[in-house]
Amino acid sequence: MHKLQYFACPTAMFRAARPVMGLTLCWALIIAAPGQAREAILEGDRFVPVEAKNGMVVTSHYLATDEALKVLEQGGNAVDAAVTTAFALAVTQPRSGNIGGGGFMLISSEQRDEVVAIDYRERAPALASRDMFLATDGSADEALSRYSHKSAGVPGTVAGLALALERYGTISLAQALAPAIRLAEEGFIIPARFSDGINDAADKLRQHESSRKIFFKPDGSSYEPGERFIQKDLAATLKRIAEQGVNGFYQGTTADLIVAEMQRGGGLITHEDLKNYQPALRQPVHGNYRGYDIYSMSPPSSGGAHILQILNILEGFPIASTGHNSALTIHLMAEAMTRAYADRSKYLGDSDFVQVPIKGLTSKTYAEQLRGEIKQEQATASATLLPGNPAPYESNDTTHFSIVDKFGNAVSNTYTINFSYGSHIVVDGAGFLLNNEMDDFSAKPGVANAYGLIGGEANKIEPNKRMLSSMSPTIVKKDGKNFLVTGSPGGSRIITTTLQVLMNVIDHRLNIQAAVSAPRVHHQWLPDEIRIEEGISPDTIRLLEQLGHTVVRKDAMGASQSIMVGGDGRLYGGADPRRSTSSAKGF
Ligand code: GLY
């Protein structure tokens, strides 16, 4: 039980009494903080998670969920299932599932009492240079950084998945690839989300003959829901990996096809870049929130550091009592978020190249200092935090999945080709899309990327460097046991989406399905606005506006495929209803 109380006022217990929205409200001292999120699903809950005992898989595509579940049922562990899922998504969900991109995987083993991170983020080619996306007038050339062959970083997915399996899995790479090869070779029935996505991206996909051949019929018409989608080139590429391991991708025929594609389109990736690509084992960032151990992704992701920073700031407020998605709670969250994103613009980059002050950013003392700046009765104007003028463009992309097995392992994986369909360029003859992750660097320090995120010197382009990410695969442990596995796609909104799933469970004691489904909010410092999903009440919006916030209604944010482990060991899966193909299954 949470011991936090929110009183109607006045004794010496209270650390502050402030007029908020016409009411005088008081913070109770934070007493006996460690909360215990609810473990059982109560009869009558509005959202019911999927429940199982021996294994749980939650992904953004039911076909990938099915393949991973089979692996668990046959005695494989969560890493075996994760690698199988990732390859299956590369076939069934090419808008974000990939072998042409990169990502991060967190693996928690209760047996070894460790949480490790595999960083398989793309790297800049050796020929990349700081000003490569600047036009002759010195402005950042968005078409070049987002939709050209130069927008592609050296892909890391195949090397990362192979490393995960080699160190922590029990099945072979060929076994993990078998379902993906079958799905590519024999095809699968197209759901509406698949054909709708291609139709939305059709203009850009049709610009490249290699992409047109894959995503449209020979007569140029679109595939319809219910039709079968076969990918022979991709099947052959996956077979080369199954037969030759990572060399089947980074050397030989596939490498030749990637380099030929680069040469055709003026891209920078060379044979050397591919041969030299290495994933990295990293220490996840780790912090504590109300008695829960939070592990999340370290640089080159900004996600983990800023989730911890925001949680640390909010820990000093009685969030359980201020209430789920109340105006006051959203105000406090937005104030914490804006400060974290302002810091992101200055301090975050690839820690192999620049010093990132992770300890400072995630320290409780720094959080206390930032918390002291927050006024409960007034929004902070972002311009007074740091200047900037970002573009408003945003897109939903990337994909996250969570898996828990019966051996005490949990995997939280987020991977991406950046935009939906990445650069929109298929490697001719190899059948997979190239990422456009180079846009996640600061093309010009101080100028926003596609998500409106400002980057600084720390994230400037350098040869072989990894571009800054927001991907935040996260695992929460309680008393040494895996408790919550979560993460999300959504560009800049990944951090705040993941944060809200954590808070919904830990502070608001929602079950995992309710935590995933609840309406979300987002503030990223610039633009200076709180973005909200449908479902936040007009009264709440009015109160936020009275505090000085600009509130903007946006499309759904993120897609958090999450798992909660109950105290009795039962597994609860929450698939995100924001994706029609999302699927949670257990056994
Ligand atoms: N490409 C989005 C991210 O990595 O944050």
Side-chain angles (χ1 to χ4, degrees):
M1 270 290 286
H2 288 282
K3 297 248 175 64
L4 290 173
Q5 300 289 328
Y6 193 62
F7 296 93
C9 241
T11 77
M13 280 186 73
F14 303 121
R15 88 191 250 216
R18 296 171 188 273
V20 178
M21 302 163 199
L23 297 168
T24 296
L25 301 178
C26 308
W27 299 129
L29 277 174
I30 304 305
I31 43 174
Q36 181 60 62
R38 191 182 56 185
E39 291 177 349
I41 305 310
L42 300 182
E43 187 68 26
D45 271 0
R46 199 156 58 95
F47 295 96
V48 180
V50 173
E51 187 182 334
K53 182 75 191 149
N54 294 312
M56 179 68 70
V57 180
V58 192
T59 85
S60 56
H61 201 294
Y62 48 86
L63 290 173
T65 296
D66 288 348
E67 297 302 339
L69 196 66
K70 279 184 224 161
V71 173
L72 293 183
E73 283 169 342
Q74 287 159 15
N77 69 17
V79 176
D80 301 329
V83 175
T84 305
T85 303
F87 283 125
L89 284 169
V91 177
T92 57
Q93 191 174 277
R95 65 196 296 159
S96 53
N98 71 82
I99 55 172
F104 305 122
M105 182 183 285
L106 248 66
I107 302 169
S108 171
S109 158
E110 287 179 359
Q111 227 171 36
R112 292 192 302 277
D113 192 22
E114 69 173 14
V115 185
V116 294
I118 296 181
D119 166 6
Y120 58 97
R121 182 74 162 163
E122 302 92 326
R123 285 167 46 171
L127 290 171
S129 56
R130 181 197 160 110
D131 296 336
M132 63 185 273
F133 295 129
L134 295 189
T136 41
D137 65 357
S139 62
D141 183 339
E142 292 175 4
L144 202 59
S145 68
R146 296 174 194 176
Y147 300 111
S148 77
H149 287 68
K150 285 193 176 68
S151 71
V154 182
T157 296
V158 172
L161 297 180
L163 177 66
L165 208 54
E166 187 187 306
R167 287 189 76 114
Y168 304 106
T170 68
I171 62 174
S172 68
L173 197 53
Q175 284 172 300
L177 277 154
I181 292 170
R182 175 174 38 79
L183 286 162
E185 211 159 38
E186 296 174 10
F188 58 91
I189 300 301
I190 293 175
R193 181 170 173 245
F194 184 96
S195 43
D196 289 351
I198 290 170
N199 288 336
D200 287 349
D203 285 352
K204 291 215 158 53
L205 290 169
R206 284 185 195 281
Q207 283 173 18
H208 304 279
E209 175 56 18
S210 57
S211 308
R212 201 197 56 71
K213 276 195 305 205
I214 299 296
F215 292 110
F216 299 91
K217 293 179 184 171
D219 67 358
S221 61
S222 300
Y223 286 96
E224 299 290 335
E227 292 183 325
R228 186 169 285 275
F229 190 68
I230 292 171
Q231 300 169 83
K232 292 282 185 206
D233 286 350
L234 182 57
T237 300
L238 296 172
K239 274 186 192 165
R240 285 192 288 275
I241 304 168
E243 284 156 13
Q244 301 160 41
V246 291
N247 289 349
F249 183 86
Y250 292 95
Q251 297 183 44
T253 305
T254 307
D256 290 346
L257 291 168
I258 296 172
V259 172
E261 186 61 52
M262 288 292 128
Q263 285 168 356
R264 250 191 314 279
L268 299 185
I269 299 172
T270 62
H271 279 291
E272 280 298 294
D273 287 325
L274 292 165
K275 218 162 106 187
N276 290 340
Y277 182 86
Q278 290 294 335
L281 277 175
R282 303 211 186 264
Q283 210 42 44
V285 295
H286 172 222
N288 190 282
Y289 181 64
R290 304 195 199 279
Y292 291 84
D293 283 299
I294 317 285
Y295 295 87
S296 192
M297 192 61 211
S298 42
S301 176
S302 57
H306 294 307
I307 286 174
L308 288 182
Q309 184 183 7
I310 297 168
L311 288 174
N312 284 341
I313 296 171
L314 293 173
E315 199 172 38
F317 297 115
I319 296 294
S321 306
T322 57
H324 181 245
N325 276 349
S326 70
L328 182 53
T329 300
I330 293 174
H331 166 64
L332 296 171
M333 288 165 67
E335 290 290 308
M337 288 170 183
T338 190
R339 283 164 174 78
Y341 278 84
D343 281 349
R344 184 189 190 278
S345 74
K346 179 162 181 188
Y347 296 112
L348 269 291
D350 181 351
S351 53
D352 288 346
F353 283 71
V354 292
Q355 297 267 18
V356 182
I358 290 293
K359 278 213 171 88
L361 286 169
T362 60
S363 85
K364 299 279 185 194
T365 317
Y366 182 51
E368 201 175 321
Q369 181 195 322
L370 295 179
R371 195 183 313 127
E373 294 171 7
I374 296 175
K375 296 189 180 70
Q376 290 153 38
E377 68 278 14
Q378 193 191 338
T380 310
S382 293
T384 64
L385 288 172
L386 267 179
N389 186 25
Y393 179 89
E394 62 183 41
S395 95
N396 264 312
D397 37 61
T398 311
T399 188
H400 177 84
F401 58 82
S402 299
I403 299 177
V404 174
D405 67 24
K406 62 182 173 193
F407 311 112
N409 302 304
V411 173
S412 180
N413 188 92
T414 316
Y415 76 152
T416 187
I417 45 176
N418 197 19
F419 291 4
S420 291
Y421 309 98
S423 63
H424 295 69
I425 301 168
V426 164
V427 175
D428 198 22
F432 65 88
L433 282 160
L434 285 166
N435 68 82
N436 62 341
E437 221 73 64
M438 291 293 285
D439 189 64
D440 273 351
F441 278 118
S442 338
K444 182 175 177 178
V447 172
N449 76 352
Y451 304 101
L453 288 169
I454 306 281
E457 281 291 317
N459 189 34
K460 70 181 179 201
I461 305 172
E462 295 182 67
N464 302 317
K465 189 179 181 181
R466 289 177 159 96
M467 54 297 286
L468 184 58
S469 174
S470 297
M471 290 187 289
S472 315
T474 299
I475 294 176
V476 179
K477 292 178 79 171
K478 179 79 177 126
D479 303 326
K481 297 275 188 205
N482 294 326
F483 170 65
L484 196 56
V485 189
T486 188
S488 179
S492 56
R493 295 149 299 167
I494 291 173
I495 297 171
T496 50
T497 295
T498 307
L499 173 90
Q500 284 166 88
V501 174
L502 298 178
M503 292 178 68
N504 286 349
V505 172
I506 294 173
D507 287 307
H508 303 300
R509 305 180 68 221
L510 301 185
N511 76 47
I512 193 64
Q513 187 61 65
V516 161
S517 302
R520 295 181 184 133
V521 302
H522 172 77
H523 197 314
Q524 62 177 49
W525 174 51
L526 296 169
D528 188 357
E529 63 189 22
I530 299 179
R531 305 179 196 185
I532 57 163
E533 289 185 332
E534 182 187 350
I536 305 290
S537 87
D539 293 0
T540 305
I541 295 168
R542 230 180 350 262
L543 289 169
L544 286 165
E545 286 169 346
Q546 280 170 20
L547 288 173
H549 290 288
T550 301
V551 182
V552 184
R553 163 77 197 283
K554 292 277 183 180
D555 288 345
M557 299 182 228
S560 178
Q561 318 295 351
S562 304
I563 299 173
M564 178 180 159
V565 185
D568 58 357
R570 293 200 83 79
L571 309 173
Y572 299 97
D576 201 315
R578 292 165 184 79
R579 298 282 184 276
S580 57
T581 51
S582 293
S583 154
K585 284 189 184 167
F587 78 108

